[in-house]
Amino acid sequence: MSVIAEISIPAADFELGRVMELTPPATAELESFVPAGGRAVPYFWVYNADFASFEECVLREPAVEAIEVVDSYDDRMLYTVDWGAENDSVFRTIRNVDAYVLNATGSSDTWQFELRFPSRDAMSVFQDQCQECDISFEVHRVYNPSEPGQGPWFGLTDRQREALVLAVERGYYDIPRTCTTVELAEELGISDQAVTERLRRAINTLTNNTLLTS
């Protein structure tokens, strides 16, 4: 049975954390890996950054060949980074144990990962290999997505469930929509950006813990 682990890793302990040099209050989120030329090229959202300075810092890293803006908004940009994930000890270890990155978000000092492992044994191997590579990490939560004792919300946090339920009740997913993320943000007391990210993560978690479970 697969297991999902929520862990945090110091940014200085692995290559991606060092490559993505983030100055507070900037944050980054892994969007996806796209195959390109025999390697996996990551796409990242970067929020609340001095984007010109961020791009210069990333390009100074020897492991990075190129960085390109794919999309942009007032407070965020979507980048593709030509960087060899296969040389990063964390991502190499994730691949070695056939794990899958459900979510990865980073700040100047820490990255938070949500990883799906094919088994608890695979997760143990991941932990052992991280220790061999001198990668420190903290495990915040481990659960079986289809385990009855995990409660009725399929891995959703209380905040994710609150946002998703409110969005459905207010008609955000209706056609045509009868509310906006700005209106949801006002009710929840958070920013428009935070609502968008909370809904995206909620849907991702709900899908992985229901439709994609064996």
Side-chain angles (χ1 to χ4, degrees):
M1 179 181 290
S2 68
V3 295
I4 293 176
E6 297 172 1
I7 68 173
S8 59
I9 300 176
D13 278 16
F14 68 112
E15 188 175 69
L16 174 64
R18 295 187 293 270
V19 164
M20 303 289 284
E21 188 172 330
L22 299 164
T23 302
T27 58
E29 180 173 18
L30 177 66
E31 174 75 8
S32 62
F33 279 99
V34 177
R39 65 193 304 186
V41 176
Y43 280 64
F44 293 97
W45 282 105
V46 176
Y47 301 91
N48 302 315
D50 179 337
F51 297 108
S53 176
F54 168 76
E55 292 166 18
E56 290 176 5
C57 290
V58 171
L59 282 173
R60 282 201 296 265
E61 291 293 329
V64 176
E65 295 184 12
I67 181 171
E68 180 181 348
V69 176
V70 178
D71 210 344
S72 64
Y73 298 89
D74 291 340
D75 62 344
R76 76 196 81 167
M77 285 196 180
L78 179 63
Y79 290 99
T80 176
V81 182
D82 192 350
W83 158 77
E86 63 277 3
N87 297 321
D88 187 299
S89 51
V90 169
F91 286 91
R92 184 173 62 247
T93 302
I94 289 171
R95 186 184 67 242
N96 288 345
V97 299
D98 294 324
Y100 181 75
V101 180
L102 299 177
N103 191 39
T105 58
S107 63
S108 59
D109 55 357
T110 307
W111 277 73
Q112 308 285 338
F113 288 87
E114 186 177 12
L115 305 173
R116 178 190 287 273
F117 296 93
S119 66
R120 287 186 178 270
D121 286 344
M123 187 180 71
S124 295
V125 173
F126 170 81
Q127 292 174 303
D128 291 342
Q129 292 188 7
C130 282
Q131 290 172 353
E132 290 172 3
C133 295
D134 294 323
I135 299 168
S136 58
F137 61 88
E138 181 178 355
V139 179
H140 300 283
R141 185 183 178 208
V142 178
Y143 64 97
N144 297 106
S146 57
E147 193 173 88
Q150 290 303 321
W153 310 129
F154 305 101
L156 293 175
T157 65
D158 290 341
R159 290 179 177 180
Q160 288 171 348
R161 177 176 176 271
E162 176 189 32
L164 190 55
V165 168
L166 183 64
V168 171
E169 290 177 344
R170 297 293 184 269
Y172 178 72
Y173 293 108
D174 291 351
I175 300 176
R177 285 179 172 167
T178 56
C179 79
T180 66
T181 53
V182 173
E183 292 168 327
L184 294 174
E186 290 176 354
E187 282 202 57
L188 293 170
I190 58 178
S191 69
D192 177 26
Q193 173 189 322
V195 168
T196 301
E197 293 308 308
R198 194 170 293 180
L199 290 175
R200 191 196 66 76
R201 290 173 185 163
I203 292 170
N204 182 68
T205 298
L206 190 61
T207 300
N208 277 287
N209 293 345
T210 55
L211 301 180
L212 299 182
T213 57
S214 58

